[in-house]
């Protein structure tokens, strides 16, 4: 059984604007899937629904055998906390907390903060020597790696990353993508929402959406992504 399934999922805003239109796809445990498409295609809406930050208007969304479609906001928050590790383009680190404290915040909402576990997560992304630094003392790439450590700390069944290299220079892009490749090799399930063909090419499978519908799905044939669309 798939870890994640979207069945005939649509999202309509204000009763008339159809952001997603009859979406069907699934993600198996251990998959790495990239959701790609131009601005306004619906990929952010899809990410919000998968990430339990929004609900579908029609259809079914099933994550780890849990039907999300009929869940209320409190239940969606609980599922997001227990099941999903989020990595954001804008980092969303708390500015007055150190790197290790930012990781421990995620533990606080899940169970009990454990500094040793948080330090181990930072070590996993190569930042144990920056644990006591504030976000303002970290580079963009280092802040993104703190975000990845924070996403991993509660052992999520799904890592959901929104434009994870969007604000990074080439060197830090390569560092972050190296971590994602290692996580995938270790068996983590990853969904990346991205404009970047480089990020798309790293994934096992790419789902291309346009105008709220799935246009193409590429399986292990990353060369076809080059020049497919203009963001």
């Amino acid at each position: 059984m798939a870890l994640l399934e979207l069945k005939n999922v649509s999202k309509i805003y204000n009763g008339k604007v159809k952001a997603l239109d009859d979406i069907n796809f699934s993600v198996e445990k251990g998959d790495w899937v990239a959701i790609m498409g131009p601005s306004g295609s619906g990929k952010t809406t899809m990410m919000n629904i998968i990430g339990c930050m929004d609900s579908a208007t029609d259809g079914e969304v099933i994550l780890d055998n849990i039907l999300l479609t009929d869940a209320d906001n409190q239940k969606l928050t609980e599922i997001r906390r227990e099941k999903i590790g989020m990595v954001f383009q804008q980092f969303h680190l708390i500015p007055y907390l150190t790197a290790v404290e930012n990781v421990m915040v995620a533990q606080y909402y899940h169970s009990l903060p454990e500094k040793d576990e948080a330090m181990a997560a930072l070590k996993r992304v190569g930042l144990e020597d920056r644990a006591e630094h504030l976000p303002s003392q970290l580079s963009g790439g280092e802040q993104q790696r703190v975000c990845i450590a924070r996403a991993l700390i509660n052992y999520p069944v799904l890592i959901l990353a929104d434009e994870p290299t969007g604000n990074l220079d080439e060197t830090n892009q390569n560092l972050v993508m190296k971590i994602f490749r290692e996580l995938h090799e270790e068996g983590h399930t990853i969904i990346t929402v991205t404009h970047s063909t480089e990020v798309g090419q790293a994934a096992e499978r790419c789902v291309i959406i346009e105008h709220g519908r799935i246009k193409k799905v590429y399986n292990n044939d990353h060369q076809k992504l080059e020049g497919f669309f203009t963001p």
Side-chain angles (χ1 to χ4, degrees):
M1 182 178 291
L3 177 67
L4 173 71
E5 291 185 90
L6 277 70
K7 300 179 178 180
N8 305 113
V9 168
S10 295
K11 179 64 179 181
I12 301 172
Y13 292 105
N14 301 320
K16 57 183 179 180
V17 179
K18 187 169 281 190
L20 294 178
D21 185 5
D22 198 32
I23 295 290
N24 290 275
F25 85 102
S26 62
V27 177
E28 301 294 328
K29 186 176 181 181
D31 278 356
W32 183 356
V33 176
I35 299 173
M36 303 182 68
S39 297
S41 62
K43 62 184 185 297
T44 298
T45 300
M46 189 183 297
M47 181 200 72
N48 288 341
I49 289 172
I50 294 170
C52 298
M53 294 176 286
D54 201 353
S55 299
T57 305
D58 297 298
E60 292 186 346
V61 182
I62 303 168
L63 174 63
D64 201 25
N65 298 318
I66 301 171
L67 180 65
L68 305 183
T69 312
D70 297 326
D72 60 21
N73 288 336
Q74 182 177 348
K75 182 63 175 178
L76 288 175
T77 298
E78 178 184 324
I79 295 167
R80 183 170 66 247
R81 183 177 64 233
E82 298 290 333
K83 300 288 185 180
I84 301 170
M86 299 288 299
V87 180
F88 299 99
Q89 180 180 5
Q90 300 298 333
F91 311 142
H92 296 302
L93 298 176
I94 299 173
Y96 53 83
L97 297 182
T98 64
V100 68
E101 289 169 341
N102 267 283
V103 175
M104 291 169 69
V105 166
Q107 291 179 303
Y108 175 80
Y109 289 109
H110 182 270
S111 52
L112 292 174
E114 291 284 348
K115 188 171 183 178
D116 287 347
E117 285 191 10
M119 286 297 299
L122 286 175
K123 183 176 181 180
R124 173 69 185 78
V125 298
L127 287 178
E128 67 270 30
D129 61 335
R130 308 288 278 171
E132 301 300 331
H133 287 66
L134 296 171
S136 61
Q137 298 170 314
L138 302 173
S139 70
E142 288 170 335
Q143 290 184 61
Q144 187 62 294
R145 284 186 278 159
V146 173
C147 291
I148 295 171
R150 182 181 59 189
L152 294 174
I153 194 65
N154 293 325
Y155 307 100
V157 299
L158 174 65
I159 298 170
L160 182 58
D162 177 24
E163 299 285 2
T165 63
N167 287 334
L168 306 181
D169 59 30
E170 184 177 358
T171 298
N172 282 300
Q173 286 180 27
N174 291 336
L175 285 171
V176 168
M177 291 310 299
K178 179 177 181 290
I179 293 170
F180 277 108
R181 290 188 181 94
E182 291 171 352
L183 292 171
H184 179 235
E185 290 170 1
E186 292 168 7
H188 290 273
T189 308
I190 303 169
I191 298 177
T192 47
V193 180
T194 184
H195 281 105
S196 168
T197 55
E198 289 80 7
V199 176
Q201 286 170 335
E204 285 184 315
R205 182 158 50 108
C206 296
V207 178
I208 310 295
I209 65 172
E210 291 188 3
H211 307 295
R213 300 182 66 88
I214 292 178
K215 183 171 184 179
K216 291 280 186 179
V217 178
Y218 292 124
N219 294 295
N220 299 316
D221 188 4
H222 310 310
Q223 296 302 316
K224 291 182 179 180
L225 290 174
E226 287 295 342
F228 184 80
F229 66 84
T230 301

